[in-house]
Amino acid sequence: MSEHTMRSFNQELDGLKAQVMSLGRLAQEQLNGALDAAGKLDAGLAKRILQREPEANRMALDIDQFAIRLLALRQPVANDLRAVLSALRMANELERVCDYAADLAERLITLRASGEEPMRALGDIGRFAVLMLKDAMDAYEAGNDRQAEDVWSRDKELDRRYTELFRQLLDYMIKDTQRISVGTQMLFMARDIERVGDRATNIAEDVCYLVRGTMPQEIRPKADATRSIVSPAKST
């Protein structure tokens, strides 16, 4: 490969990374906006989140097409190949985060119409998930596998918080059966937030793969115990 061709290819790789970072910023904006809308019960903000979902889809598609073109025309190997494959995977993860943000916004509109306020804990785990995503993208931008590993290890704490919120929401519904509809919406919202953490952890694994050529060797730490929770019988 000539020096000119190599320089051109490196510029294309830089452009691909810039596109992924732009999608990452949009995902964070969408998620932060959805959480702000939930905290303020702002249906107007929630609708604006929904309006930007097609933008995220277009950006992810552009990354896919650009990456596939690089694979076909440049036939990258070693580090360059990992850079393209990682970008492809991250774009998919970030597009899904935008989907979760849109789902949060859509469910908020339902909750707003009901006159019920989402529990404060939704915002707490939401901010934790947003920080995981931000740190994962910072690790990608810097090529910092240690920072990526830190994000990877924090997924367990998000699972723990999600499990505790799950218990709270069950108790919320058991104490007043009229809250079941609202509580169910909140359960779905909490699950979306927990999924954001999974996506951030996947991105962190991709950063490790990009930098080192290998994924973390340990089993991913998990602490989601919601499947083992049994609702207590309502007293009569």
mmCIF file with all atom_site columns, all heavy atoms in Angstrom, residues 5 11 19 38 51 55 63 79 85 109 112 127 146 155 157 168 171 192 198 207 220:
data_model
loop_
_atom_site.group_PDB
_atom_site.id
_atom_site.type_symbol
_atom_site.label_atom_id
_atom_site.label_alt_id
_atom_site.label_comp_id
_atom_site.label_asym_id
_atom_site.label_entity_id
_atom_site.label_seq_id
_atom_site.pdbx_PDB_ins_code
_atom_site.Cartn_x
_atom_site.Cartn_y
_atom_site.Cartn_z
_atom_site.occupancy
_atom_site.B_iso_or_equiv
_atom_site.pdbx_formal_charge
_atom_site.auth_seq_id
_atom_site.auth_comp_id
_atom_site.auth_asym_id
_atom_site.auth_atom_id
_atom_site.pdbx_PDB_model_num
ATOM 1   N N   . THR A 1 5   ? -2.015  6.112   -0.275 1.00 0.00 ? 5   THR A N   1
ATOM 2   C CA  . THR A 1 5   ? -3.172  5.251   -0.016 1.00 0.00 ? 5   THR A CA  1
ATOM 3   C C   . THR A 1 5   ? -3.337  4.986   1.474  1.00 0.00 ? 5   THR A C   1
ATOM 4   O O   . THR A 1 5   ? -4.453  4.989   2.004  1.00 0.00 ? 5   THR A O   1
ATOM 5   C CB  . THR A 1 5   ? -3.025  3.912   -0.765 1.00 0.00 ? 5   THR A CB  1
ATOM 6   O OG1 . THR A 1 5   ? -2.870  4.169   -2.161 1.00 0.00 ? 5   THR A OG1 1
ATOM 7   C CG2 . THR A 1 5   ? -4.241  3.035   -0.551 1.00 0.00 ? 5   THR A CG2 1
ATOM 8   N N   . GLN A 1 11  ? -7.340  8.289   7.188  1.00 0.00 ? 11  GLN A N   1
ATOM 9   C CA  . GLN A 1 11  ? -8.325  9.363   7.276  1.00 0.00 ? 11  GLN A CA  1
ATOM 10  C C   . GLN A 1 11  ? -9.745  8.795   7.276  1.00 0.00 ? 11  GLN A C   1
ATOM 11  O O   . GLN A 1 11  ? -10.631 9.296   7.979  1.00 0.00 ? 11  GLN A O   1
ATOM 12  C CB  . GLN A 1 11  ? -8.139  10.343  6.115  1.00 0.00 ? 11  GLN A CB  1
ATOM 13  C CG  . GLN A 1 11  ? -6.876  11.189  6.226  1.00 0.00 ? 11  GLN A CG  1
ATOM 14  C CD  . GLN A 1 11  ? -6.627  12.034  4.989  1.00 0.00 ? 11  GLN A CD  1
ATOM 15  O OE1 . GLN A 1 11  ? -7.247  11.832  3.936  1.00 0.00 ? 11  GLN A OE1 1
ATOM 16  N NE2 . GLN A 1 11  ? -5.709  12.988  5.099  1.00 0.00 ? 11  GLN A NE2 1
ATOM 17  N N   . GLN A 1 19  ? -17.806 9.307   13.231 1.00 0.00 ? 19  GLN A N   1
ATOM 18  C CA  . GLN A 1 19  ? -19.232 9.025   13.075 1.00 0.00 ? 19  GLN A CA  1
ATOM 19  C C   . GLN A 1 19  ? -19.775 8.249   14.270 1.00 0.00 ? 19  GLN A C   1
ATOM 20  O O   . GLN A 1 19  ? -20.884 8.517   14.746 1.00 0.00 ? 19  GLN A O   1
ATOM 21  C CB  . GLN A 1 19  ? -19.471 8.236   11.786 1.00 0.00 ? 19  GLN A CB  1
ATOM 22  C CG  . GLN A 1 19  ? -19.364 9.048   10.519 1.00 0.00 ? 19  GLN A CG  1
ATOM 23  C CD  . GLN A 1 19  ? -19.702 8.222   9.287  1.00 0.00 ? 19  GLN A CD  1
ATOM 24  O OE1 . GLN A 1 19  ? -19.135 7.151   9.054  1.00 0.00 ? 19  GLN A OE1 1
ATOM 25  N NE2 . GLN A 1 19  ? -20.627 8.707   8.487  1.00 0.00 ? 19  GLN A NE2 1
ATOM 26  N N   . ALA A 1 38  ? -38.748 12.469  32.304 1.00 0.00 ? 38  ALA A N   1
ATOM 27  C CA  . ALA A 1 38  ? -39.383 11.674  33.359 1.00 0.00 ? 38  ALA A CA  1
ATOM 28  C C   . ALA A 1 38  ? -39.371 12.422  34.686 1.00 0.00 ? 38  ALA A C   1
ATOM 29  O O   . ALA A 1 38  ? -40.367 12.432  35.422 1.00 0.00 ? 38  ALA A O   1
ATOM 30  C CB  . ALA A 1 38  ? -38.668 10.329  33.503 1.00 0.00 ? 38  ALA A CB  1
ATOM 31  N N   . GLN A 1 51  ? -39.091 12.381  18.219 1.00 0.00 ? 51  GLN A N   1
ATOM 32  C CA  . GLN A 1 51  ? -38.905 12.962  16.893 1.00 0.00 ? 51  GLN A CA  1
ATOM 33  C C   . GLN A 1 51  ? -37.482 12.774  16.373 1.00 0.00 ? 51  GLN A C   1
ATOM 34  O O   . GLN A 1 51  ? -37.254 12.769  15.156 1.00 0.00 ? 51  GLN A O   1
ATOM 35  C CB  . GLN A 1 51  ? -39.260 14.451  16.926 1.00 0.00 ? 51  GLN A CB  1
ATOM 36  C CG  . GLN A 1 51  ? -40.740 14.724  17.096 1.00 0.00 ? 51  GLN A CG  1
ATOM 37  C CD  . GLN A 1 51  ? -41.054 16.187  17.368 1.00 0.00 ? 51  GLN A CD  1
ATOM 38  O OE1 . GLN A 1 51  ? -40.148 17.012  17.566 1.00 0.00 ? 51  GLN A OE1 1
ATOM 39  N NE2 . GLN A 1 51  ? -42.335 16.530  17.377 1.00 0.00 ? 51  GLN A NE2 1
ATOM 40  N N   . GLU A 1 55  ? -33.283 10.128  13.262 1.00 0.00 ? 55  GLU A N   1
ATOM 41  C CA  . GLU A 1 55  ? -31.922 10.637  13.079 1.00 0.00 ? 55  GLU A CA  1
ATOM 42  C C   . GLU A 1 55  ? -30.897 9.601   13.528 1.00 0.00 ? 55  GLU A C   1
ATOM 43  O O   . GLU A 1 55  ? -29.881 9.385   12.859 1.00 0.00 ? 55  GLU A O   1
ATOM 44  C CB  . GLU A 1 55  ? -31.760 11.930  13.882 1.00 0.00 ? 55  GLU A CB  1
ATOM 45  C CG  . GLU A 1 55  ? -30.382 12.551  13.774 1.00 0.00 ? 55  GLU A CG  1
ATOM 46  C CD  . GLU A 1 55  ? -30.243 13.807  14.624 1.00 0.00 ? 55  GLU A CD  1
ATOM 47  O OE1 . GLU A 1 55  ? -31.275 14.290  15.143 1.00 0.00 ? 55  GLU A OE1 1
ATOM 48  O OE2 . GLU A 1 55  ? -29.109 14.290  14.786 1.00 0.00 ? 55  GLU A OE2 1
ATOM 49  N N   . ILE A 1 63  ? -23.086 4.599   9.229  1.00 0.00 ? 63  ILE A N   1
ATOM 50  C CA  . ILE A 1 63  ? -21.892 3.930   9.744  1.00 0.00 ? 63  ILE A CA  1
ATOM 51  C C   . ILE A 1 63  ? -21.776 2.528   9.146  1.00 0.00 ? 63  ILE A C   1
ATOM 52  O O   . ILE A 1 63  ? -20.696 2.098   8.728  1.00 0.00 ? 63  ILE A O   1
ATOM 53  C CB  . ILE A 1 63  ? -21.923 3.870   11.283 1.00 0.00 ? 63  ILE A CB  1
ATOM 54  C CG1 . ILE A 1 63  ? -21.774 5.278   11.867 1.00 0.00 ? 63  ILE A CG1 1
ATOM 55  C CG2 . ILE A 1 63  ? -20.813 2.956   11.818 1.00 0.00 ? 63  ILE A CG2 1
ATOM 56  C CD1 . ILE A 1 63  ? -22.033 5.363   13.358 1.00 0.00 ? 63  ILE A CD1 1
ATOM 57  N N   . ASN A 1 79  ? -5.050  -4.550  13.230 1.00 0.00 ? 79  ASN A N   1
ATOM 58  C CA  . ASN A 1 79  ? -5.641  -3.437  13.981 1.00 0.00 ? 79  ASN A CA  1
ATOM 59  C C   . ASN A 1 79  ? -6.707  -2.710  13.167 1.00 0.00 ? 79  ASN A C   1
ATOM 60  O O   . ASN A 1 79  ? -7.749  -2.300  13.714 1.00 0.00 ? 79  ASN A O   1
ATOM 61  C CB  . ASN A 1 79  ? -4.558  -2.440  14.401 1.00 0.00 ? 79  ASN A CB  1
ATOM 62  C CG  . ASN A 1 79  ? -3.592  -3.014  15.403 1.00 0.00 ? 79  ASN A CG  1
ATOM 63  O OD1 . ASN A 1 79  ? -3.803  -4.111  15.921 1.00 0.00 ? 79  ASN A OD1 1
ATOM 64  N ND2 . ASN A 1 79  ? -2.521  -2.288  15.686 1.00 0.00 ? 79  ASN A ND2 1
ATOM 65  N N   . LEU A 1 85  ? -14.559 -3.442  12.485 1.00 0.00 ? 85  LEU A N   1
ATOM 66  C CA  . LEU A 1 85  ? -15.532 -4.348  13.102 1.00 0.00 ? 85  LEU A CA  1
ATOM 67  C C   . LEU A 1 85  ? -16.075 -3.768  14.398 1.00 0.00 ? 85  LEU A C   1
ATOM 68  O O   . LEU A 1 85  ? -17.277 -3.876  14.684 1.00 0.00 ? 85  LEU A O   1
ATOM 69  C CB  . LEU A 1 85  ? -14.881 -5.708  13.355 1.00 0.00 ? 85  LEU A CB  1
ATOM 70  C CG  . LEU A 1 85  ? -14.478 -6.509  12.115 1.00 0.00 ? 85  LEU A CG  1
ATOM 71  C CD1 . LEU A 1 85  ? -13.820 -7.819  12.528 1.00 0.00 ? 85  LEU A CD1 1
ATOM 72  C CD2 . LEU A 1 85  ? -15.679 -6.777  11.221 1.00 0.00 ? 85  LEU A CD2 1
ATOM 73  N N   . ILE A 1 109 ? -45.073 9.480   28.294 1.00 0.00 ? 109 ILE A N   1
ATOM 74  C CA  . ILE A 1 109 ? -46.293 10.153  27.842 1.00 0.00 ? 109 ILE A CA  1
ATOM 75  C C   . ILE A 1 109 ? -47.515 9.447   28.402 1.00 0.00 ? 109 ILE A C   1
ATOM 76  O O   . ILE A 1 109 ? -48.492 10.080  28.824 1.00 0.00 ? 109 ILE A O   1
ATOM 77  C CB  . ILE A 1 109 ? -46.327 10.191  26.303 1.00 0.00 ? 109 ILE A CB  1
ATOM 78  C CG1 . ILE A 1 109 ? -45.204 11.102  25.788 1.00 0.00 ? 109 ILE A CG1 1
ATOM 79  C CG2 . ILE A 1 109 ? -47.686 10.679  25.801 1.00 0.00 ? 109 ILE A CG2 1
ATOM 80  C CD1 . ILE A 1 109 ? -45.024 11.069  24.284 1.00 0.00 ? 109 ILE A CD1 1
ATOM 81  N N   . ARG A 1 112 ? -47.644 10.318  32.071 1.00 0.00 ? 112 ARG A N   1
ATOM 82  C CA  . ARG A 1 112 ? -48.064 11.717  32.234 1.00 0.00 ? 112 ARG A CA  1
ATOM 83  C C   . ARG A 1 112 ? -49.559 11.844  32.095 1.00 0.00 ? 112 ARG A C   1
ATOM 84  O O   . ARG A 1 112 ? -50.213 12.561  32.854 1.00 0.00 ? 112 ARG A O   1
ATOM 85  C CB  . ARG A 1 112 ? -47.363 12.577  31.170 1.00 0.00 ? 112 ARG A CB  1
ATOM 86  C CG  . ARG A 1 112 ? -47.699 14.064  31.255 1.00 0.00 ? 112 ARG A CG  1
ATOM 87  C CD  . ARG A 1 112 ? -47.123 14.669  32.518 1.00 0.00 ? 112 ARG A CD  1
ATOM 88  N NE  . ARG A 1 112 ? -47.444 16.080  32.602 1.00 0.00 ? 112 ARG A NE  1
ATOM 89  C CZ  . ARG A 1 112 ? -48.555 16.586  33.134 1.00 0.00 ? 112 ARG A CZ  1
ATOM 90  N NH1 . ARG A 1 112 ? -49.470 15.767  33.620 1.00 0.00 ? 112 ARG A NH1 1
ATOM 91  N NH2 . ARG A 1 112 ? -48.751 17.881  33.183 1.00 0.00 ? 112 ARG A NH2 1
ATOM 92  N N   . ARG A 1 127 ? -29.188 7.800   35.700 1.00 0.00 ? 127 ARG A N   1
ATOM 93  C CA  . ARG A 1 127 ? -27.942 8.567   35.695 1.00 0.00 ? 127 ARG A CA  1
ATOM 94  C C   . ARG A 1 127 ? -26.721 7.643   35.776 1.00 0.00 ? 127 ARG A C   1
ATOM 95  O O   . ARG A 1 127 ? -25.686 7.913   35.171 1.00 0.00 ? 127 ARG A O   1
ATOM 96  C CB  . ARG A 1 127 ? -27.942 9.567   36.850 1.00 0.00 ? 127 ARG A CB  1
ATOM 97  C CG  . ARG A 1 127 ? -28.837 10.783  36.598 1.00 0.00 ? 127 ARG A CG  1
ATOM 98  C CD  . ARG A 1 127 ? -28.701 11.809  37.698 1.00 0.00 ? 127 ARG A CD  1
ATOM 99  N NE  . ARG A 1 127 ? -29.282 11.348  38.950 1.00 0.00 ? 127 ARG A NE  1
ATOM 100 C CZ  . ARG A 1 127 ? -30.559 11.490  39.284 1.00 0.00 ? 127 ARG A CZ  1
ATOM 101 N NH1 . ARG A 1 127 ? -31.393 12.076  38.436 1.00 0.00 ? 127 ARG A NH1 1
ATOM 102 N NH2 . ARG A 1 127 ? -31.013 11.063  40.441 1.00 0.00 ? 127 ARG A NH2 1
ATOM 103 N N   . ARG A 1 146 ? -8.198  0.162   29.993 1.00 0.00 ? 146 ARG A N   1
ATOM 104 C CA  . ARG A 1 146 ? -8.404  0.114   31.446 1.00 0.00 ? 146 ARG A CA  1
ATOM 105 C C   . ARG A 1 146 ? -9.691  0.827   31.843 1.00 0.00 ? 146 ARG A C   1
ATOM 106 O O   . ARG A 1 146 ? -10.435 0.359   32.712 1.00 0.00 ? 146 ARG A O   1
ATOM 107 C CB  . ARG A 1 146 ? -7.203  0.732   32.166 1.00 0.00 ? 146 ARG A CB  1
ATOM 108 C CG  . ARG A 1 146 ? -5.929  -0.098  32.069 1.00 0.00 ? 146 ARG A CG  1
ATOM 109 C CD  . ARG A 1 146 ? -4.841  0.432   32.969 1.00 0.00 ? 146 ARG A CD  1
ATOM 110 N NE  . ARG A 1 146 ? -3.655  -0.402  32.927 1.00 0.00 ? 146 ARG A NE  1
ATOM 111 C CZ  . ARG A 1 146 ? -2.574  -0.197  33.664 1.00 0.00 ? 146 ARG A CZ  1
ATOM 112 N NH1 . ARG A 1 146 ? -2.524  0.841   34.500 1.00 0.00 ? 146 ARG A NH1 1
ATOM 113 N NH2 . ARG A 1 146 ? -1.535  -1.015  33.568 1.00 0.00 ? 146 ARG A NH2 1
ATOM 114 N N   . ASP A 1 155 ? -21.201 -2.973  35.570 1.00 0.00 ? 155 ASP A N   1
ATOM 115 C CA  . ASP A 1 155 ? -22.503 -3.519  35.170 1.00 0.00 ? 155 ASP A CA  1
ATOM 116 C C   . ASP A 1 155 ? -23.160 -4.276  36.325 1.00 0.00 ? 155 ASP A C   1
ATOM 117 O O   . ASP A 1 155 ? -24.382 -4.279  36.457 1.00 0.00 ? 155 ASP A O   1
ATOM 118 C CB  . ASP A 1 155 ? -22.325 -4.444  33.960 1.00 0.00 ? 155 ASP A CB  1
ATOM 119 C CG  . ASP A 1 155 ? -23.653 -4.871  33.356 1.00 0.00 ? 155 ASP A CG  1
ATOM 120 O OD1 . ASP A 1 155 ? -24.544 -4.017  33.211 1.00 0.00 ? 155 ASP A OD1 1
ATOM 121 O OD2 . ASP A 1 155 ? -23.812 -6.055  33.048 1.00 0.00 ? 155 ASP A OD2 1
ATOM 122 N N   . GLU A 1 157 ? -23.067 -3.509  39.490 1.00 0.00 ? 157 GLU A N   1
ATOM 123 C CA  . GLU A 1 157 ? -23.708 -2.544  40.391 1.00 0.00 ? 157 GLU A CA  1
ATOM 124 C C   . GLU A 1 157 ? -25.022 -2.046  39.806 1.00 0.00 ? 157 GLU A C   1
ATOM 125 O O   . GLU A 1 157 ? -26.010 -1.874  40.536 1.00 0.00 ? 157 GLU A O   1
ATOM 126 C CB  . GLU A 1 157 ? -22.769 -1.367  40.651 1.00 0.00 ? 157 GLU A CB  1
ATOM 127 C CG  . GLU A 1 157 ? -23.386 -0.212  41.433 1.00 0.00 ? 157 GLU A CG  1
ATOM 128 C CD  . GLU A 1 157 ? -23.871 -0.583  42.832 1.00 0.00 ? 157 GLU A CD  1
ATOM 129 O OE1 . GLU A 1 157 ? -23.444 -1.630  43.362 1.00 0.00 ? 157 GLU A OE1 1
ATOM 130 O OE2 . GLU A 1 157 ? -24.702 0.165   43.397 1.00 0.00 ? 157 GLU A OE2 1
ATOM 131 N N   . GLN A 1 168 ? -38.971 -2.548  44.727 1.00 0.00 ? 168 GLN A N   1
ATOM 132 C CA  . GLN A 1 168 ? -39.735 -1.371  45.131 1.00 0.00 ? 168 GLN A CA  1
ATOM 133 C C   . GLN A 1 168 ? -41.004 -1.222  44.305 1.00 0.00 ? 168 GLN A C   1
ATOM 134 O O   . GLN A 1 168 ? -42.076 -0.876  44.831 1.00 0.00 ? 168 GLN A O   1
ATOM 135 C CB  . GLN A 1 168 ? -38.878 -0.120  44.992 1.00 0.00 ? 168 GLN A CB  1
ATOM 136 C CG  . GLN A 1 168 ? -37.724 -0.017  45.981 1.00 0.00 ? 168 GLN A CG  1
ATOM 137 C CD  . GLN A 1 168 ? -36.888 1.220   45.742 1.00 0.00 ? 168 GLN A CD  1
ATOM 138 O OE1 . GLN A 1 168 ? -37.326 2.180   45.108 1.00 0.00 ? 168 GLN A OE1 1
ATOM 139 N NE2 . GLN A 1 168 ? -35.660 1.205   46.236 1.00 0.00 ? 168 GLN A NE2 1
ATOM 140 N N   . ASP A 1 171 ? -43.629 -3.716  45.321 1.00 0.00 ? 171 ASP A N   1
ATOM 141 C CA  . ASP A 1 171 ? -44.258 -3.260  46.563 1.00 0.00 ? 171 ASP A CA  1
ATOM 142 C C   . ASP A 1 171 ? -45.216 -2.104  46.296 1.00 0.00 ? 171 ASP A C   1
ATOM 143 O O   . ASP A 1 171 ? -46.301 -2.025  46.881 1.00 0.00 ? 171 ASP A O   1
ATOM 144 C CB  . ASP A 1 171 ? -43.176 -2.838  47.560 1.00 0.00 ? 171 ASP A CB  1
ATOM 145 C CG  . ASP A 1 171 ? -43.747 -2.506  48.931 1.00 0.00 ? 171 ASP A CG  1
ATOM 146 O OD1 . ASP A 1 171 ? -44.380 -3.396  49.539 1.00 0.00 ? 171 ASP A OD1 1
ATOM 147 O OD2 . ASP A 1 171 ? -43.565 -1.362  49.390 1.00 0.00 ? 171 ASP A OD2 1
ATOM 148 N N   . ASP A 1 192 ? -35.548 -0.993  30.499 1.00 0.00 ? 192 ASP A N   1
ATOM 149 C CA  . ASP A 1 192 ? -34.848 -0.291  29.424 1.00 0.00 ? 192 ASP A CA  1
ATOM 150 C C   . ASP A 1 192 ? -33.529 0.294   29.935 1.00 0.00 ? 192 ASP A C   1
ATOM 151 O O   . ASP A 1 192 ? -32.495 0.219   29.255 1.00 0.00 ? 192 ASP A O   1
ATOM 152 C CB  . ASP A 1 192 ? -35.717 0.829   28.855 1.00 0.00 ? 192 ASP A CB  1
ATOM 153 C CG  . ASP A 1 192 ? -36.805 0.316   27.923 1.00 0.00 ? 192 ASP A CG  1
ATOM 154 O OD1 . ASP A 1 192 ? -36.670 -0.819  27.420 1.00 0.00 ? 192 ASP A OD1 1
ATOM 155 O OD2 . ASP A 1 192 ? -37.785 1.046   27.698 1.00 0.00 ? 192 ASP A OD2 1
ATOM 156 N N   . ASP A 1 198 ? -26.212 -2.788  29.815 1.00 0.00 ? 198 ASP A N   1
ATOM 157 C CA  . ASP A 1 198 ? -25.693 -3.926  29.044 1.00 0.00 ? 198 ASP A CA  1
ATOM 158 C C   . ASP A 1 198 ? -25.022 -3.453  27.755 1.00 0.00 ? 198 ASP A C   1
ATOM 159 O O   . ASP A 1 198 ? -23.969 -3.967  27.362 1.00 0.00 ? 198 ASP A O   1
ATOM 160 C CB  . ASP A 1 198 ? -26.823 -4.901  28.704 1.00 0.00 ? 198 ASP A CB  1
ATOM 161 C CG  . ASP A 1 198 ? -27.317 -5.678  29.916 1.00 0.00 ? 198 ASP A CG  1
ATOM 162 O OD1 . ASP A 1 198 ? -26.566 -5.772  30.908 1.00 0.00 ? 198 ASP A OD1 1
ATOM 163 O OD2 . ASP A 1 198 ? -28.447 -6.197  29.859 1.00 0.00 ? 198 ASP A OD2 1
ATOM 164 N N   . VAL A 1 207 ? -14.082 -2.057  23.078 1.00 0.00 ? 207 VAL A N   1
ATOM 165 C CA  . VAL A 1 207 ? -12.882 -1.234  23.233 1.00 0.00 ? 207 VAL A CA  1
ATOM 166 C C   . VAL A 1 207 ? -11.690 -2.120  23.608 1.00 0.00 ? 207 VAL A C   1
ATOM 167 O O   . VAL A 1 207 ? -10.586 -1.968  23.073 1.00 0.00 ? 207 VAL A O   1
ATOM 168 C CB  . VAL A 1 207 ? -13.092 -0.133  24.289 1.00 0.00 ? 207 VAL A CB  1
ATOM 169 C CG1 . VAL A 1 207 ? -11.777 0.600   24.565 1.00 0.00 ? 207 VAL A CG1 1
ATOM 170 C CG2 . VAL A 1 207 ? -14.154 0.859   23.830 1.00 0.00 ? 207 VAL A CG2 1
ATOM 171 N N   . ARG A 1 220 ? -18.432 -12.119 32.613 1.00 0.00 ? 220 ARG A N   1
ATOM 172 C CA  . ARG A 1 220 ? -19.017 -10.804 32.907 1.00 0.00 ? 220 ARG A CA  1
ATOM 173 C C   . ARG A 1 220 ? -19.757 -10.830 34.241 1.00 0.00 ? 220 ARG A C   1
ATOM 174 O O   . ARG A 1 220 ? -20.619 -11.682 34.462 1.00 0.00 ? 220 ARG A O   1
ATOM 175 C CB  . ARG A 1 220 ? -19.984 -10.390 31.796 1.00 0.00 ? 220 ARG A CB  1
ATOM 176 C CG  . ARG A 1 220 ? -20.626 -9.027  32.030 1.00 0.00 ? 220 ARG A CG  1
ATOM 177 C CD  . ARG A 1 220 ? -21.666 -8.665  30.989 1.00 0.00 ? 220 ARG A CD  1
ATOM 178 N NE  . ARG A 1 220 ? -21.086 -8.421  29.687 1.00 0.00 ? 220 ARG A NE  1
ATOM 179 C CZ  . ARG A 1 220 ? -21.748 -7.837  28.682 1.00 0.00 ? 220 ARG A CZ  1
ATOM 180 N NH1 . ARG A 1 220 ? -22.996 -7.449  28.857 1.00 0.00 ? 220 ARG A NH1 1
ATOM 181 N NH2 . ARG A 1 220 ? -21.156 -7.654  27.514 1.00 0.00 ? 220 ARG A NH2 1
#
